[in-house]
Amino acid sequence: MCGNVRIPYPFGIGSICSINKWYIIDCKSSTPYLSALNNLEVVDVDLENQTIIVNMQKLSACNQTTKSVDLASSPFLYSKSHNKFVVEGCANGVILGDHGSVLTGCSATCSNQTSTAVTIDTNNTCFGINCCETTIPHYLNSYSMNLTGLERLHGDRACGSAFLVDKNSYDEVWFSGKSFIPTSLLWTVTLVDYKKLDCCVKHAVDRRTVDLSNGTSVNTYKCWSDYKPLYGNPYLSNGCYGM
């Protein structure tokens, strides 16, 4: 544990407790940080979905383009399944791929001349009035985000914010005024690292192919059981219970 965050293997607090350098967690003042990725603050680690949630800075301006944290040399990817792209305020936001191609985007319009309150439906979903959201089409190792403020009805230009956010963490009211947003990363395990693992179920492996936006793909491996749910930590020989 680091503060209130559980740090399960293959992650670990310190180099001797993690599977490799990418999975080292620094625990500072009861707050966990992923040291290999610019000390991003860790919010949660999910073994079942193979995701780690980290806080990343959102883009907030009238007209701006920003580059994401580049994950290209790491075992992490921006998760297609667990993130959504959100634009708040009166703005047009797009996510661009490595070569400038538009991957996804949406526009949030002002409801009237003065209000900037986020409008959501009963499913906690933005639908275009001061807030919009959309999915991302691929797993990504990097991206650029472009944000352009839209004109209000009386002619001045409004500002907005845009961010990639973990679906289960998103709350419009809670994020009001926040500059860092929880973003979900898929962590991948290479075959070399998988061979280092002592899974609680011998010879059980889930191999998954993850498609990237540039037409390439990566393989990741996972300790698992196809005949009985695993409880605890399947990445440790004695980590499972209920077998």
Side-chain angles (χ1 to χ4, degrees), residues 198-214:
D198 194 6
C199 300
C200 65
V201 179
K202 304 298 182 184
H203 310 298
V205 58
D206 179 17
R207 177 186 172 186
R208 176 183 177 188
T209 300
V210 181
D211 293 324
L212 304 180
S213 60
N214 56 8

Side-chain angles (χ1 to χ4, degrees), residues 79-136:
S79 176
K80 166 190 172 182
S81 303
H82 297 91
N83 289 315
K84 58 184 176 181
F85 178 56
V86 174
V87 175
E88 289 185 347
C90 303
N92 177 62
V94 295
I95 285 185
L96 308 172
D98 291 336
H99 302 292
S101 58
V102 176
L103 300 179
T104 191
C106 66
S107 293
T109 60
C110 298
S111 55
N112 54 45
Q113 292 186 355
T114 59
S115 174
T116 57
V118 171
T119 304
I120 60 174
D121 64 15
T122 55
N123 294 318
N124 202 38
T125 301
C126 302
F127 59 90
I129 302 176
N130 295 327
C131 180
C132 67
E133 66 178 59
T134 187
T135 59
I136 59 174

